[in-house]
Structures are given as structure tokens and as C-alpha cells.
Amino acid sequence: MITRGLAILLVSVSIAVAFDWYSLTEQNYAAIQSGLAQLNDAAKGMNTSMVENQKICQDAINGLIVHINRSLIALQRVYPEAANLSTDQLPSTMFYTWYVESVADQFRQASTNNVMMPAQRVVRTILDAMNDLYSNPSRSCAERYATQLIQPRISVGRLKDCLTTNIPFFRGLTETTELLLRYTEKAADANIAQVQLCTPDSRSCIAEFFEDLPRILGNIISNMGSLYGFPNAFGQPASERNQECVSLITLDIQEAIQDMKANVTSCSGN
């Protein structure tokens, strides 16, 4: 009876131990899922900000032509010479709106490469660590430190900060673009206002003004090519910042895992 009771006790202990590891595995998977959810939420937040700021930029670019068109219509009310003037004679801004969209798409891809893909490797590192603990011959030592694997420091969700830090820079890019376009509008207004330099009776002065105006406005719009430098000025440092962010957090997580493994090894040797 004693032998039978001891056997039952050993079976019960074995089941309890197995249940503990199963429970810990569940907690580890849950922690990983929670971390990935945080990362996905950050990615959605970043994308929402990108879409919002992209629209603001594109609306501002399209608004320049609307603004100039209103000014030309105002001229037509006063000067018969302006009858044939329209924004159709000016360079199109469609290429710039496409360019903003292209830059946004490139940054999304860079964020995938620099943050989301490395996140998968972090998850693999955590799962491998869990497997190493479960397979460790010194079960009691592994059990003592295994719960450290689900500490906040070892969470793939920490990589969310690598995405959310981009959001203020998107707004900065938008504000810079808006500033340039406001300046472009003022430049257009200043040139259109020069018609007032001509006295109403000076046919040659007025004729010269309207002959030169399409070229001058076209040059002003063409100067929007300066926009090409702005996304790179914001995007390149952002990509490098994301890479450094992921590298630092990954190293920190790996160090925490290595410390935990070292504790298990030290425990096993005692």
C-alpha cells in the first residue's frame, strides 16, 4: 500500500510539473501575442498618421493651382487681356502629388524591413529560449528562472517605440511642405499684383505683363521641385533611427535572455 501510495504521489508530482510548464508556455505565447498586438497597433497608428499627413500635403499642392486660378479669374474681371489666361497653361502639379504618395509607400516598406521583419527574429529568439529551458537537464534550475522569460524587458512589443517615434516627423515634413507652398502662393500673388505698376492707359505695359505672366507663374510652380529634397531630409534619418532603435532593443532583450540562461547554468553547477 505504501509503495502504491508513493507511486500515486510521484505521478501527481509529475503531472503538476508538466502542468506548470504547460502553463508557463501558454503565458509565454500570450506575452508574445500581446507584444505583437502592441507592435501592430503602433504600425496602424504610424500608417494613419502617414495617410493623414500625405493628404494634407497633397491638398496643399493641389490648393496652389486653385489659388492661382482664383487670382487669374480676378484679373479677367478687370483686364480683357487676361481673357485667355488659365492654369492649363501652367506646369501640372500632379507629379508632385504622386511623388508624395511614392515617398510614403517607400517609407512603409522601409518600416517593414527595418522593424516588422526584425520583430519576427525577436519572437524566434524568445521561443528558442523557452525551448532551451524546457530541454534543460537541470529541470529545477530551469523552473526557478523560467518565469523571467515573460518579464516586460523580454517583449517584442518594445519595438513599438521604433514606429511611434516617426509620427512627429511626419507632421514636421507636412509643416515644411505647407510652408513652402504658402511661400509659393505669396510669390505668385506678388507677381500678379505687379499689374498695378502699369497705368490703366498704358497698353504696352499691360501687354508686356500678360505676355510674361504665364512664364513667371510657370517658373514659380517649377520651383516646387525643392519638395524633392524634403522627404529625403526626413526619411533617411528616420530609417536610420528605426534601425538603431531595433538594434538597441534587440540587444537588450538578448542580454536579458543570456543573463537568465547564465543563472540557470550557474544554478546547475551548484
Side-chain angles (χ1 to χ4, degrees):
M1 292 295 296
I2 295 177
T3 302
R4 181 181 178 186
L6 180 59
I8 293 174
L9 178 61
L10 290 174
V11 170
S12 299
V13 170
S14 177
I15 293 174
V17 170
F19 176 79
D20 287 342
W21 276 103
Y22 180 79
S23 176
L24 182 62
T25 301
E26 281 191 320
Q27 293 176 50
N28 189 34
Y29 281 132
I32 290 173
Q33 291 299 324
S34 175
L36 289 174
Q38 294 175 47
L39 185 60
N40 287 332
D41 286 344
K44 290 177 182 177
M46 187 193 76
N47 187 62
T48 297
S49 177
M50 288 182 67
V51 171
E52 291 173 350
N53 284 282
Q54 175 183 325
K55 186 177 187 306
I56 292 172
C57 287
Q58 291 176 328
D59 287 348
I61 293 171
N62 295 333
L64 173 64
I65 293 298
V66 172
H67 178 84
I68 293 176
N69 193 52
R70 287 172 181 166
S71 299
L72 295 181
I73 291 174
L75 279 178
Q76 291 168 358
R77 294 190 184 119
V78 180
Y79 298 94
E81 295 85 352
N84 295 325
L85 283 179
S86 74
T87 50
D88 292 340
Q89 299 170 273
L90 304 178
S92 173
T93 59
M94 286 299 296
F95 187 81
Y96 298 103
T97 59
W98 171 85
Y99 176 67
V100 171
E101 181 178 354
S102 174
V103 169
D105 289 341
Q106 290 174 26
F107 192 83
R108 286 188 189 90
Q109 185 60 52
S111 297
T112 298
N113 296 338
N114 296 331
V115 181
M116 305 305 282
M117 297 301 291
Q120 297 181 27
R121 293 192 288 271
V122 171
V123 170
R124 184 71 264 168
T125 299
I126 296 172
L127 292 174
D128 287 346
M130 185 68 193
N131 183 65
D132 290 345
L133 286 169
Y134 185 76
S135 305
N136 194 292
S138 181
R139 184 59 64 91
S140 61
C141 289
E143 291 174 5
R144 181 185 302 180
Y145 294 101
T147 55
Q148 293 182 3
L149 194 60
I150 56 176
Q151 63 178 296
R153 181 182 175 186
I154 305 177
S155 172
V156 68
R158 293 178 60 189
L159 296 179
K160 68 181 185 298
D161 295 336
C162 304
L163 297 176
T164 55
T165 54
N166 294 318
I167 293 176
F169 291 89
F170 299 150
R171 185 55 195 166
L173 175 57
T174 298
E175 290 171 351
T176 304
T177 301
E178 289 179 313
L179 179 62
L180 174 64
L181 289 168
R182 283 197 297 271
Y183 170 79
T184 304
E185 286 185 0
K186 290 182 182 299
D189 290 344
N191 279 279
I192 290 173
Q194 285 189 320
V195 70
Q196 299 172 15
L197 298 175
C198 300
T199 59
D201 296 333
S202 178
R203 292 188 300 274
S204 59
C205 179
I206 293 175
E208 178 77 10
F209 169 81
F210 283 107
E211 181 180 346
D212 293 343
L213 186 60
R215 172 181 55 80
I216 293 172
L217 293 178
N219 289 338
I220 290 173
I221 293 176
S222 295
N223 285 334
M224 285 174 55
S226 301
L227 281 173
Y228 291 151
F230 291 143
N232 287 332
F234 284 83
Q236 289 181 355
S239 292
E240 186 173 3
R241 183 177 63 250
N242 290 347
Q243 291 171 359
E244 182 70 3
C245 176
V246 170
S247 177
L248 293 174
I249 291 176
T250 300
L251 286 172
D252 197 68
I253 291 174
Q254 290 174 342
E255 182 176 326
I257 291 175
Q258 289 303 319
D259 288 345
M260 179 192 63
K261 290 182 177 180
N263 288 331
V264 173
T265 300
S266 177
C267 170
S268 302
N270 293 333

